[in-house]
């Protein structure tokens, strides 16, 4: 640092600067004082001075000499002058040496031009530094002839003012000096004494008139006052001096200067009101009223200006910020001075509001409905959700998670998964509509903030049915060990209800809409099936040309795309009585399926039973052939199985009901319990029947069914049939009885099973539990008059064959 350059002639040199600390923001003012060192020597304006002094100058006459200048201050400044030689002149210093603008030489004894025309003196200026520095000037004195009056100024000091924007050539003041001499000695010349370079660039003086004018650009901010030394000299060499003090008037020609000392370019949106955003310094180089600054910002912004130290302002928040509403502010700061007219300046700060995780992810809906077909392909997407977060950056990066839960005892992750980035739902494995029709899941959307925020949404997932199940026939039940036949009387009217096919489909919607139709229906078909209800009815009157036994194949088809179907065989017998049915029954063939592992045992059991049965039949046919011929009862040989008929009760009015007879033809040997299969029970009165074994619920029918016979009535019918067989065996010839003992003939009453009853008929009177339900003996049952029964052509043909036998 150079003190002389910074402070020039000022005795105390210092400057200030401001220090701003951030986080938290604080302001300090630092003042630096620059101490002087003796690095400058005293310097005279001229290296040589020439003075013209009249020889008439009396002792005590004073002659001004330009003083030396030492830019140092204090002890290092100019301390004394030394004049050599001193035989004619001494030095006279006015005031303090360091403040003196000029020094004077005082004549000690008269000069004699005739003796010495020229005098040469050396003037030395010495400072007080260590080591000392000095400067010298050579003074040449020319002794002149007589001129005994020196010029004299009218004022010792002239004062003037000039505005800083004064134009060049502006007259500031005029100095004037007079001389009492006459002749050439009264001609006076004016000039600046010790004028610095800056003064010479700004002002000039007319040497004849003494007018001081502006020749440069005056700036108040550089120089507020000028002090100029003016000297007047006549032709006799006598001089006089005066001073001019020029004050510069400030003009409001400087706009306020805005300097941003510190600034947060990004401010968190959760900053509290009063947070300092920026620290601003505003300077105006003008003076007085021109430096009074007013600082402001736009009123609609959530900020304000607060004054701190002199010329310092703080930009602070005034209210709560919200980045989601306004992410960036352009703050224009306006500074206006107090001049007339006022000058102003503006500076715009761009402030970005940084995000804070203050918003949780939001779904577009509170819940969603998603649909997926059953039997879907695993790992295939079927739905997607999306949540948005009003934040930005990591705070707005949303991840999706499937919340914990269970379905049918298994975690939801075993059924579904969600892509954490896209929110796409995937099925882990296929769904089955028959097991799961719908369920709910919760998906959580979580952002990447710290701490993270989340939002939930419920997704209702509905499994859509596909036609992947065939219809299931509940009635009639198809088994490999028995055959169910429906009896239709020959007198049946058109629309007679034969039976009803009951089927269900575990699918839903149109996939479960079932329709029924007969396979290979001929033009002369006797039956038709209801398209929707499955009821098999006659469509015309029965004729003699109609076969006694008819096998109907019913196709049950759903309404799916593509449709699925199932078939069921319904055996129908057209007859008016049971013996007629029995004679035709031997021609029915039953499809049987045998397990390969049981074939051997079944064949062996059949052979043994068949041998015993043949012996019994031979004995009965030989002795009671006339009874068998009357009753039209025949027993099949080893390839055929016997039939135990079920006689429905005859009501007092002679009617047998709509669905009159169902026969269950067991194919097991006679010595095994003969039972009516419970699985072939008719539907109840509402048209509904029980499901097959292992199925729950009841199948709904479409129409009323007749009331089934009571247990007592069924026992009466079965006992009647069994008594006839017993009577037939009792009339055997004794010869045959001896050869074929009666114990080999089975008592069929012991093997009768009543559906829905735990009672079993037996020959032992003590075990005949149904007797309690009967009002009379079995003989009370009306006998069937076989010859009087209506005969079909087929039955007549068979009767003829039997008669021949």
């Amino acid at each position: 640092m150079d003190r002389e350059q910074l402070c020039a002639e000022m005795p105390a040199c210092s400057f200030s600067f401001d220090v701003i600390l951030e986080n938290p923001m604080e302001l300090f003012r630092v003042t630096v004082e620059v101490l002087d060192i003796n690095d400058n020597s005293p310097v005279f304006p001229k290296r040589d001075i020439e003075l013209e002094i009249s020889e008439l100058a009396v002792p005590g006459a004073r002659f001004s000499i330009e003083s030396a200048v030492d830019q140092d201050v204090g002890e290092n400044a100019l301390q004394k002058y030394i004049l050599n030689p001193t035989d004619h002149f001494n030095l006279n210093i006015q005031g303090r040496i360091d403040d003196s603008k000029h020094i004077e030489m005082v004549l000690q004894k008269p000069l004699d031009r005739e003796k010495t025309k020229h005098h040469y003196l050396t003037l030395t200026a010495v400072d007080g530094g260590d080591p000392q520095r000095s400067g010298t000037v050579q003074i040449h004195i020319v002794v002149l002839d007589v001129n005994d009056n020196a010029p004299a100024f009218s004022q010792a000091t002239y004062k003037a003012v000039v505005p800083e924007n004064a134009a060049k050539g502006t007259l500031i003041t005029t100095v004037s000096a007079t001389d009492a001499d006459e002749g050439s000695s009264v001609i006076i010349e004016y000039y600046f004494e010790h004028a610095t370079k800056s003064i010479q660039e700004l002002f000039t003086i007319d040497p004849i008139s003494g007018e001081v004018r502006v020749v440069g650009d005056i700036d108040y901010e550089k120089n507020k006052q000028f002090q100029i030394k003016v000297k007047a000299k006549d032709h006799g060499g006598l001089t006089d001096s005066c001073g001019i003090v020029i004050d510069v008037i400030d003009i409001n020609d400087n706009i306020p200067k805005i300097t941003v000392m510190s600034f947060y370019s990004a401010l968190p949106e959760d900053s509290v009101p009063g947070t300092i955003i920026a620290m601003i310094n505003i300077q105006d180089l003008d003076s007085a009223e021109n430096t009074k600054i007013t600082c402001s910002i736009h009123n609609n912004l959530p900020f304000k200006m607060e004054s701190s130290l002199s010329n310092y302002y703080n930009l602070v928040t005034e209210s709560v910020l919200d980045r989601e509403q306004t992410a960036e502010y352009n703050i224009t700061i306006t500074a206006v001075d107090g001049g007339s007219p006022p000058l102003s300046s503006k500076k715009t700060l761009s402030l970005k509001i940084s995000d804070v995780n203050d918003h949780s992810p939001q779904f577009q809906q509170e819940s969603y409905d998603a649909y997926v077909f059953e039997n879907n392909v695993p790992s295939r997407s079927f739905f997607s959700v999306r949540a948005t977060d009003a934040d930005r950056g990591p705070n707005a990066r949303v991840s999706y998670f499937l919340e914990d839960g269970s379905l049918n005892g298994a975690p939801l992750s075993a059924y579904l998964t969600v892509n954490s980035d896209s929110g796409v739902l995937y099925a882990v494995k296929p769904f089955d509509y028959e097991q799961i029709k719908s369920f709910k899941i919760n998906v959580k959307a979580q952002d990447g903030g710290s701490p993270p925020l989340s939002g939930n949404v419920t997704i209702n997932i509905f499994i859509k049915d596909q036609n992947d199940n065939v219809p299931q026939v509940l009635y009639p039940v198809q088994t490999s060990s028995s055959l169910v036949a429906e009896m239709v009387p020959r007198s049946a009217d058109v629309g007679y209800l034969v039976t009803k096919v009951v089927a269900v489909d575990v699918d839903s919607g149109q996939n479960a809409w079932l329709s029924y139709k007969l396979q290979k229906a001929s033009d002369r078909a006797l039956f038709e099936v209801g398209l929707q209800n499955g009821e098999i009815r006659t469509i015309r009157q029965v004729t003699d040309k109609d076969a006694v036994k008819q096998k109907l194949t019913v196709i049950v088809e759903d309404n799916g795309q593509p449709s699925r179907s199932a078939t069921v065989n319904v055996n129908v017998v057209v007859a008016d009585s049971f013996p007629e049915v029995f004679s035709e029954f031997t021609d029915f063939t039953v499809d049987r399926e045998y397990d390969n592992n049981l074939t051997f045992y079944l064949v062996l059991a059949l052979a043994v039973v068949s041998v015993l049965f043949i012996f019994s039949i031979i004995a009965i046919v030989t002795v009671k052939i006339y009874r068998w011929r009357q009753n039209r009862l025949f027993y099949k040989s080893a390839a055929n199985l016997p039939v135990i008929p079920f006689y429905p009760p005859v009501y007092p009015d002679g009617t047998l009901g709509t669905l009159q007879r169902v026969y269950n033809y067991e194919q097991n040997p006679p010595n095994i319990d003969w039972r009516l299969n419970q699985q072939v029970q008719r539907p109840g009165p509402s048209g509904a029947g029980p499901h097959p074994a292992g199925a729950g619920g009841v199948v709904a029918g479409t129409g009323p069914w007749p009331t089934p016979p009571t247990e007592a009535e069924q026992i009466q019918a079965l006992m009647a049939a069994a008594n006839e067989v017993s009577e037939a065996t009792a009339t055997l010839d004794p010869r045959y009885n001896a050869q074929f003992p009666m114990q080999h003939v089975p008592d069929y009453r012991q093997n009768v099973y009543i559906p829905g009853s735990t009672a079993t008929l037996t020959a032992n009177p003590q075990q005949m539990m149904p007797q309690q339900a009967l009002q009379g003996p079995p003989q009370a049952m009306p006998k069937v008059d076989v010859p009087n029964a209506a005969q079909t052509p087929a039955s007549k043909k068979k009767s003829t064959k039997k008669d021949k036998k």
Side-chain angles (χ1 to χ4, degrees):
M1 293 183 293
D2 189 353
R3 190 203 66 80
E4 289 73 30
Q5 183 178 0
L6 293 173
C7 302
E9 298 177 357
M10 296 179 60
C13 182
S14 64
F15 60 91
S16 299
F17 60 89
D18 299 322
V19 176
I20 296 177
L21 302 181
E22 295 185 355
N23 198 17
M25 192 176 292
E26 297 183 41
L27 174 65
F28 296 93
R29 177 161 293 173
V30 179
T31 301
V32 178
E33 182 178 359
V34 181
L35 301 179
D36 182 53
I37 62 172
N38 190 26
D39 57 347
N40 291 281
S41 300
V43 177
F44 287 95
K46 299 179 180 180
R47 297 183 62 87
D48 297 311
I49 298 175
E50 182 176 342
L51 295 177
E52 295 179 347
I53 301 175
S54 173
E55 62 177 341
L56 295 178
V58 298
R62 300 175 181 273
F63 302 95
S64 176
I65 297 176
E66 295 179 3
S67 61
V69 177
D70 193 333
Q71 294 183 358
D72 295 325
V73 296
E75 295 294 333
N76 298 324
L78 182 62
Q79 298 295 324
K80 61 181 180 179
Y81 291 96
I82 301 173
L83 183 63
N84 188 38
T86 59
D87 50 351
H88 285 88
F89 296 92
N90 285 331
L91 293 177
N92 181 26
I93 300 176
Q94 298 178 355
R96 295 176 52 186
I97 294 178
D98 54 350
D99 292 337
S100 177
K101 299 300 181 181
H102 64 278
I103 58 177
E104 294 179 338
M105 290 191 308
V106 180
L107 183 61
Q108 297 295 326
K109 58 181 181 180
L111 298 175
D112 188 353
R113 180 177 179 275
E114 286 68 28
K115 290 183 177 179
T116 306
K117 187 177 181 180
H118 298 279
H119 295 270
Y120 296 95
L121 305 176
T122 300
L123 180 61
T124 303
V126 181
D127 61 21
D130 185 13
Q132 287 184 336
R133 291 176 176 268
S134 62
T136 61
V137 62
Q138 299 295 324
I139 302 174
H140 178 209
I141 297 176
V142 178
V143 181
L144 299 177
D145 201 5
V146 177
N147 181 18
D148 53 358
N149 289 292
F153 283 100
S154 59
Q155 299 178 19
T157 302
Y158 292 85
K159 292 184 176 182
V161 294
V162 60
E164 62 175 327
N165 60 351
K168 295 179 179 180
T170 300
L171 176 63
I172 298 175
T173 187
T174 301
V175 297
S176 175
T178 60
D179 194 329
D181 294 327
E182 294 181 356
S184 61
S185 299
V186 298
I187 298 175
I188 301 173
E189 293 182 358
Y190 303 96
Y191 56 90
F192 292 146
E193 184 180 11
H194 304 300
T196 62
K197 183 178 181 180
S198 61
I199 291 177
Q200 294 176 0
E201 291 175 350
L202 296 176
F203 306 100
T204 184
I205 187 171
D206 187 282
I208 303 300
S209 63
E211 293 178 347
V212 178
R213 295 180 180 275
V214 178
V215 295
D217 297 326
I218 302 174
D219 190 356
Y220 173 85
E221 287 69 39
K222 293 181 179 180
N223 302 101
K224 296 176 176 56
Q225 187 183 71
F226 296 95
Q227 294 182 0
I228 305 174
K229 191 70 174 180
V230 179
K231 192 173 186 178
K233 179 182 178 183
D234 60 17
H235 282 195
L238 299 180
T239 61
D240 193 10
S241 299
C242 72
I244 301 176
V245 177
I246 303 174
D247 292 322
V248 180
I249 300 175
D250 181 44
I251 299 298
N252 191 27
D253 58 348
N254 291 280
I255 63 175
K257 182 180 180 182
I258 301 175
T259 304
V260 179
M261 309 302 295
S262 180
F263 175 56
Y264 286 122
S265 59
L267 188 67
E269 62 177 323
D270 60 348
S271 300
V272 299
T275 301
I276 298 178
I277 302 171
M279 186 172 290
I280 300 169
N281 176 260
I282 303 178
Q283 295 287 343
D284 194 322
L285 299 179
D286 296 322
S287 64
E289 294 295 328
N290 297 332
T291 61
K292 291 184 178 181
I293 305 299
T294 301
C295 187
S296 63
I297 60 174
H298 198 278
N299 293 332
N300 293 333
L301 297 179
F303 310 102
K304 64 180 179 179
M305 298 297 298
E306 292 182 349
S307 177
S308 57
L309 297 176
S310 176
N311 298 327
Y312 279 90
Y313 296 87
N314 293 334
L315 176 63
V316 300
T317 58
E318 190 175 23
S319 60
V320 177
L321 304 176
D322 188 357
R323 189 205 64 82
E324 286 68 38
Q325 292 185 0
T326 307
E328 183 176 357
Y329 292 93
N330 290 323
I331 306 171
T332 300
I333 301 172
T334 303
V336 181
D337 62 19
S340 181
L343 299 179
S344 64
S345 62
K346 295 182 179 180
K347 191 172 188 66
T348 300
L349 302 179
S350 180
L351 174 65
K352 297 182 182 298
I353 307 301
S354 60
D355 185 54
V356 174
N357 192 27
D358 56 351
H359 290 81
S360 60
Q362 298 292 327
F363 289 94
Q364 296 178 354
Q365 299 177 204
E366 293 183 358
S367 64
Y368 294 89
D369 293 337
Y371 299 88
V372 57
F373 280 98
E374 64 174 332
N375 307 316
N376 54 295
V377 178
S379 302
R380 178 174 293 180
S381 64
F382 65 92
F383 194 70
S384 65
V385 293
R386 176 177 174 80
T388 57
D389 196 315
D391 296 321
R392 64 179 300 177
N395 297 331
R397 187 171 58 246
V398 179
S399 300
Y400 302 88
F401 303 95
L402 187 65
E403 290 194 342
D404 295 337
S406 61
L407 182 62
N408 290 347
L412 285 175
S413 58
Y415 295 88
L416 300 171
T417 183
V418 61
N419 187 297
S420 60
D421 296 326
S422 63
V424 176
L425 290 173
Y426 297 89
V428 175
K429 61 182 181 181
F431 292 103
D432 187 355
Y433 174 82
E434 288 68 41
Q435 294 183 1
I436 303 173
K437 292 180 174 55
S438 65
F439 59 95
K440 293 182 179 181
I441 63 171
N442 290 328
V443 175
K444 179 174 71 173
Q446 180 175 293
D447 59 25
S450 179
L453 300 177
S454 62
N456 295 339
V457 69
T458 299
I459 302 177
N460 302 308
I461 298 179
F462 299 93
I463 310 302
K464 299 183 71 174
D465 182 53
Q466 284 189 330
N467 193 26
D468 58 346
N469 291 279
V470 298
Q472 298 178 3
V473 179
L474 303 181
Y475 184 87
V477 179
Q478 302 291 294
T479 63
S480 60
S481 60
S482 64
L483 180 64
V484 177
E486 306 289 345
M487 179 178 286
V488 178
R490 295 183 178 276
S491 61
D493 296 331
V494 177
Y496 177 86
L497 177 62
V498 179
T499 187
K500 180 175 182 178
V501 178
V502 180
V504 296
D505 195 320
V506 295
D507 293 323
S508 68
Q510 66 177 11
N511 296 330
W513 297 351
L514 300 181
S515 59
Y516 304 84
K517 62 182 179 180
L518 289 176
Q519 188 179 35
K520 299 180 180 177
S522 62
D523 294 338
R524 290 288 300 169
L526 179 58
F527 306 99
E528 69 175 359
V529 62
L531 182 63
Q532 280 78 32
N533 56 24
E535 294 179 349
I536 299 177
R537 296 180 180 269
T538 59
I539 59 176
R540 59 179 177 81
Q541 292 288 340
V542 179
T543 65
D544 293 342
K545 295 182 180 180
D546 294 325
V548 175
K549 59 178 182 179
Q550 298 196 27
K551 183 178 181 180
L552 306 179
T553 300
V554 179
I555 300 175
V556 183
E557 187 176 40
D558 59 26
N559 198 37
Q561 293 295 332
S563 63
R564 293 176 176 266
S565 62
T567 60
V568 59
N569 295 323
V570 179
N571 296 301
V572 180
V573 176
V574 181
D576 290 330
S577 63
F578 175 74
E580 183 181 356
V581 174
F582 182 77
S583 64
E584 297 295 338
F585 175 69
T586 56
D587 293 336
F588 278 109
T589 60
V590 180
D591 294 335
R592 294 172 295 177
E593 295 181 0
Y594 295 95
D595 190 285
N596 293 332
N597 296 329
L598 299 179
T599 302
F600 173 75
Y601 301 101
L602 294 177
V603 173
L604 180 61
L606 181 62
V608 174
V609 173
S610 299
V611 172
L612 297 176
F613 186 66
I614 290 173
F615 281 107
S616 300
I617 296 302
I618 292 174
I620 295 173
V621 172
T622 303
V623 179
K624 302 292 291 182
I625 189 171
Y626 69 96
R627 297 287 300 272
W628 286 98
R629 187 174 297 173
Q630 180 182 358
N631 295 323
R632 299 275 199 264
L633 296 176
F634 296 94
Y635 289 88
K636 200 170 180 63
S637 60
N640 296 312
L641 300 178
V643 176
I644 300 299
F646 166 68
Y647 285 85
V650 179
Y651 299 99
D653 58 358
T655 61
L656 296 177
T658 305
L659 297 179
Q660 298 179 2
R661 301 173 182 85
V662 177
Y663 299 95
N664 192 343
Y665 309 106
E666 298 289 339
Q667 297 180 0
N668 294 328
N671 59 343
I672 300 175
D673 290 343
W674 292 10
R675 299 180 179 180
L676 295 178
N677 195 341
Q678 290 180 324
Q679 296 181 353
V680 297
Q681 297 179 12
R682 293 178 180 271
S686 64
H691 285 284
V698 174
V699 180
T702 59
W705 292 90
T707 303
T710 64
E711 182 178 340
E713 293 170 344
Q714 295 181 23
I715 293 175
Q716 286 181 351
L718 293 174
M719 287 298 296
N723 286 335
E724 291 182 2
V725 177
S726 178
E727 291 175 1
T729 57
T731 59
L732 290 175
D733 190 89
R735 292 174 298 176
Y736 294 99
N737 290 337
Q739 186 177 359
F740 304 101
M742 291 304 294
Q743 62 267 20
H744 296 290
V745 180
D747 189 352
Y748 297 103
R749 290 174 294 180
Q750 299 180 7
N751 299 320
V752 177
Y753 174 75
I754 306 302
S757 173
T758 59
T760 302
L761 296 179
T762 176
N764 189 353
Q766 297 178 355
Q767 297 178 356
M768 295 179 64
M769 298 176 60
Q771 290 297 328
Q772 299 176 359
L774 298 176
Q775 300 298 328
Q779 289 79 1
M781 293 292 294
K783 294 184 179 180
V784 179
D785 190 1
V786 176
N788 295 332
Q791 295 182 354
T792 63
S795 63
K796 293 179 179 180
K797 184 177 181 181
K798 290 186 178 183
S799 299
T800 303
K801 292 179 180 180
K802 292 176 183 179
D803 292 339
K804 291 180 180 180
K805 290 182 181 180

